[in-house]
Amino acid sequence: MLNNWLDKIAEKATRKQARHTSRRSFIRTFGIALIGVSVYPLLPVFRDNAFAQEPGNIPESGDPNDCNYWRHCAIDGFMCGCCGGTVSSCPPGTVVSDITWIGTCRNPKDGKDYVISYNDCCGKSACGNCLCQRDEGDTPVYRPQNTNNLNWCSGSQADVPYHCSLSVVIGVKES
Amino acid sequence: MSYKIPLSLISFLVTWIVASGQLWAFTPEIPKTEILPDNNGEEWFWISGNRIPSLADGQAYLMGQDGKRLGQLSTGYWFNSLINAHKRNEIITVETHFDRGTRGNRNDLVVMYDANNLSFKHEIQLPPKRMNAVRNDGLVNLTDDERFLLVVNYTPAQSVSIVDLDKGVFIEEVETPGCSVLYAAGNRDFYSICGNGGFMQIKLGEDGHVISRTRTEPLFDSVNDFLTISASRIGNVWYFISRQHNAYAIKMEGDDIKLLDKWSLTTESEREDNWIISGMKHTAVHESSGELYVLMHQGEEKTFEEPGTHVWVYDVKTKKKVREIELEEIAVSIAVSQKPNPRLYINSIHFPVPFLTQLWMYLIDGEKSLMEIARQRASIYNAKNGQLLFHSDLVPHGGFVLNIQTW
């Protein structure tokens, strides 16, 4: 009798654990959805260097290799800082994607909204470290301007081999 | 203690053995390659995908009725789509291969495999443009007569490549601006779903060339009630679900496209309990009983792609939920077989350690430690009563696969 009771408790606990704890991190860990796509795109397509400007002094806080880091508010992919690059530079030997999506993230340090370009780094197989995914605002692929379900290395000089994603500050919203 | 054996008995046995010669005959084994057994209506199924992060090494695993592995296809970079072409006795995949792994010339190919032995038969070169998407629905479509194959492209320009399977040639590429994945509507008609809530009809001639492209009026609200691409078909009706948890029955037959019906998957109380859709391939149908299967879980709206815990079954005629199937393991994708007593196939996440070990790992190292040991397998249920029948062999280490589909 006791064994049966323990079995039921264990079963319920396992199911609950599986459903309510593991599920949330499952996608982050295994990378179901991918590839630097903005959750809050301001423009449908951002072409690299179209907004090129000298970086200013951006007040920083948090760990760029943590999924909760402020710039990653709309990232979807492996964070390049865990792959030999940084939050704004691709790992050696990879190629920055020409086309990507941009989002707007609020910097908790100064309370300003910054425009973030989620360029992918392409030309090698997937990094496999530090997957970070959020699905807020994601739409199906027939609305590509908002989807995180596409490989945005498509059209890059290195073609579709996807490696990791950047979170590059390209502008600031002046109030 | 010792035993004494009469010398005469030993002599007799030796003489008999030598004389017969049978027991000394040695037949060497000759290595060979298996062919698949006759299917004979058995319920085989596929588990396949791009194996992220091992994206260059897509695989498709063919599983037998008992969940044991029957064979495998190796399907290249960012593998999405496998088609059972039973009339052709072929398995068709659309594959991408680079000359040097992740660099060099890109080759996009339609590849035909022999359905008797899974060996390569031949391939057809495509423009190197096929869409690399996380979900797989509608990216590759076969005409109902299995003559032509249509492949969705994204560069990010949107287009469709058309292949003549009988002649083994690429026919043409047609642009589909604003529209994407395809749904079949007979032997020569497809509908591409568009960002404005409408569809684009693509009509092929008998030679496979496109003879017309026609945009329909919007059939759904692409902003406030947009459809997922995971639709399932009964006859000439496709059943879609929206991210706002409505079911849409859309008839697609030749030139005829019409929204037949729409209903909510959830009641008000279920919505208050945060029941939402789940996973990737999250719909399936049992055609003869008119049942729509939807993968569900409880969570915030933004968790709509996280694995599901339940499958809810709807009668498409009454538009009522007829049963709920609680899953033993969380699920990514689902499929249903078409026999009178169908099976429900679940692409499941499995933690291969005892519960107390799971608990210990969770308490000490948190979720991440558990996810590092997570594996995948298929879980097979009786679709009519929800009884778990068995689990399949585990998916091999090395990457994650999203698809599950019947043979």
Side-chain angles (χ1 to χ4, degrees):
Chain A
M1 179 69 85
L2 182 61
N3 280 344
N4 287 341
W5 180 77
L6 284 173
D7 282 348
K8 287 187 183 303
I9 294 294
E11 180 189 16
K12 282 186 180 299
T14 304
R15 289 183 181 184
K16 184 175 181 182
Q17 177 188 353
R19 288 175 196 145
H20 297 290
T21 62
S22 300
R23 186 181 63 236
R24 294 188 59 79
S25 64
F26 164 78
I27 295 175
R28 288 199 296 272
T29 304
F30 281 86
I32 284 180
L34 297 171
I35 320 308
V37 174
S38 165
V39 172
Y40 305 110
L42 298 182
L43 295 171
V45 172
F46 169 67
R47 292 190 181 274
D48 197 24
N49 297 323
F51 293 83
Q53 59 183 13
E54 288 298 316
N57 293 324
I58 303 166
E60 286 287 2
S61 63
D63 177 4
N65 293 341
D66 185 324
C67 193
N68 295 314
Y69 177 59
W70 69 274
R71 295 191 192 191
H72 298 328
C73 75
I75 199 175
D76 190 354
F78 298 108
M79 294 181 283
C80 290
C82 300
C83 310
T86 70
V87 71
S88 58
S89 62
C90 285
T94 58
V95 175
V96 182
S97 65
D98 299 312
I99 298 171
T100 187
W101 302 95
I102 55 179
T104 304
C105 300
R106 177 156 296 176
N107 185 341
K109 198 75 172 177
D110 61 8
K112 292 182 178 177
D113 292 327
Y114 288 83
V115 181
I116 311 293
S117 171
Y118 294 99
N119 297 73
D120 290 335
C121 301
C122 314
K124 298 181 185 297
S125 196
C127 159
N129 286 340
C130 302
L131 188 73
C132 179
Q133 185 206 356
R134 300 177 188 175
D135 275 329
E136 297 98 332
D138 172 48
T139 59
V141 293
Y142 62 84
R143 287 182 55 199
Q145 66 270 27
N146 292 97
T147 189
N148 66 9
N149 273 193
L150 286 170
N151 178 352
W152 288 107
C153 283
S154 300
S156 80
Q157 291 178 353
D159 212 320
V160 288
Y162 165 79
H163 189 63
C164 63
S165 299
L166 305 174
S167 299
V168 184
V169 176
I170 59 168
V172 60
K173 180 182 175 185
E174 299 293 348
S175 54
Chain B
M1 181 185 285
S2 63
Y3 296 98
K4 289 185 177 177
I5 302 174
L7 189 60
S8 59
L9 177 57
I10 294 173
S11 175
F12 168 77
L13 288 173
V14 170
T15 304
W16 178 77
I17 289 170
V18 172
S20 68
Q22 296 297 320
L23 296 181
W24 297 104
F26 174 73
T27 304
E29 292 181 339
I30 300 173
K32 64 173 184 175
T33 301
E34 294 286 346
I35 61 171
L36 292 175
D38 288 336
N39 176 264
N40 288 328
E42 289 196 7
E43 301 207 50
W44 299 353
F45 59 98
W46 293 97
I47 306 175
S48 65
N50 62 24
R51 299 181 76 238
I52 180 129
S54 306
L55 289 169
D57 188 27
Q59 305 283 352
Y61 307 109
L62 176 60
M63 316 298 285
Q65 180 160 273
D66 59 358
K68 305 295 182 188
R69 182 95 70 87
L70 290 176
Q72 178 176 335
L73 302 176
S74 293
T75 49
Y77 187 81
W78 200 303
F79 175 60
N80 276 121
S81 303
L82 179 149
I83 303 279
N84 295 300
H86 288 308
K87 294 174 189 170
R88 306 180 65 84
N89 199 33
E90 291 175 336
I91 309 300
I92 300 174
T93 60
V94 176
E95 305 179 4
T96 295
H97 298 273
F98 289 89
D99 284 353
R100 292 168 178 79
T102 54
R103 60 189 175 87
N105 290 327
R106 172 181 170 178
N107 294 283
D108 281 11
L109 305 164
V110 175
V111 183
M112 274 66 72
Y113 295 93
D114 189 318
N116 293 325
N117 55 26
L118 301 184
S119 61
F120 169 81
K121 286 179 68 176
H122 53 100
E123 65 191 24
I124 303 166
Q125 194 93 23
L126 292 171
K129 298 179 174 182
R130 75 172 182 89
M131 179 185 277
N132 283 201
V134 175
R135 293 170 182 253
N136 308 290
D137 307 79
L139 298 179
V140 176
N141 279 265
L142 192 62
T143 53
D144 287 351
D145 63 359
E146 301 188 355
R147 167 84 188 274
F148 301 107
L149 191 78
L150 282 74
V151 178
V152 173
N153 298 322
Y154 189 81
T155 64
Q158 294 164 307
S159 64
V160 171
S161 295
I162 303 169
V163 164
D164 186 330
L165 295 171
D166 284 355
K167 295 181 178 176
V169 297
F170 164 72
I171 300 174
E172 67 175 336
E173 177 189 353
V174 292
E175 295 179 345
T176 57
C179 304
S180 185
V181 300
L182 298 167
Y183 303 92
N187 282 335
R188 299 292 178 267
D189 292 279
F190 291 87
Y191 284 91
S192 173
I193 191 167
C194 307
N196 69 344
F199 289 79
M200 175 189 284
Q201 182 190 6
I202 298 173
K203 180 180 278 298
L204 306 184
E206 282 309 303
D207 60 358
H209 285 275
V210 172
I211 55 177
S212 68
R213 282 173 291 169
T214 310
R215 291 182 186 271
T216 73
E217 293 297 313
L219 296 181
F220 64 95
D221 184 336
S222 64
V223 175
N224 298 310
D225 193 26
F226 53 88
L227 306 183
T228 78
I229 61 171
S230 175
S232 296
R233 183 186 187 189
I234 298 178
N236 58 10
V237 180
W238 283 92
Y239 291 90
F240 293 82
I241 59 175
S242 71
R243 282 266 292 284
Q244 291 69 32
H245 319 299
N246 293 308
Y248 283 70
I250 300 179
K251 179 184 176 185
M252 298 182 189
E253 184 176 36
D255 298 339
D256 188 15
I257 181 168
K258 184 190 301 180
L259 174 61
L260 297 180
D261 224 333
K262 173 186 169 184
W263 72 93
S264 177
L265 295 170
T266 52
T267 63
E268 190 173 338
S269 66
E270 288 165 346
R271 287 191 288 277
E272 287 173 358
D273 288 339
N274 297 320
W275 282 101
I276 64 169
I277 61 173
S278 315
M280 294 291 160
K281 173 64 179 172
H282 45 217
T283 72
V285 290
H286 186 242
E287 296 174 25
S288 62
S289 59
E291 289 184 338
L292 171 66
Y293 293 69
V294 183
L295 185 59
M296 304 286 288
H297 76 279
Q298 287 174 286
E300 298 176 70
E301 285 293 328
K302 64 183 180 183
T303 69
F304 65 93
E305 277 190 348
E306 292 187 358
T309 59
H310 290 68
V311 173
W312 288 7
V313 187
Y314 299 84
D315 183 321
V316 299
K317 288 191 175 65
T318 64
K319 302 184 282 288
K320 300 292 185 187
K321 183 169 62 178
V322 292
R323 61 188 174 278
E324 297 179 4
I325 297 174
E326 184 177 7
L327 305 176
E328 291 213 352
E329 296 179 333
I330 55 178
V332 178
S333 295
I334 65 173
V336 171
S337 65
Q338 298 304 319
K339 288 193 171 182
N341 190 23
R343 284 175 161 190
L344 170 63
Y345 295 95
I346 303 291
N347 183 332
S348 298
I349 306 303
H350 170 62
F351 300 102
V353 294
F355 167 68
L356 288 178
T357 307
Q358 291 180 39
L359 189 60
W360 177 259
M361 294 172 67
Y362 178 72
L363 291 173
I364 298 300
D365 285 330
E367 297 173 24
K368 186 180 177 186
S369 62
L370 273 177
M371 295 316 300
E372 286 174 351
I373 63 166
R375 300 290 301 275
Q376 280 183 278
R377 62 184 178 183
S379 302
I380 290 81
Y381 292 77
N382 180 322
K384 288 295 183 182
N385 63 20
Q387 180 191 0
L388 174 66
L389 301 176
F390 60 89
H391 299 290
S392 76
D393 288 349
L394 290 172
V395 172
H397 286 287
F400 191 75
V401 293
L402 289 180
N403 308 338
I404 192 162
Q405 65 192 99
T406 58
W407 164 258

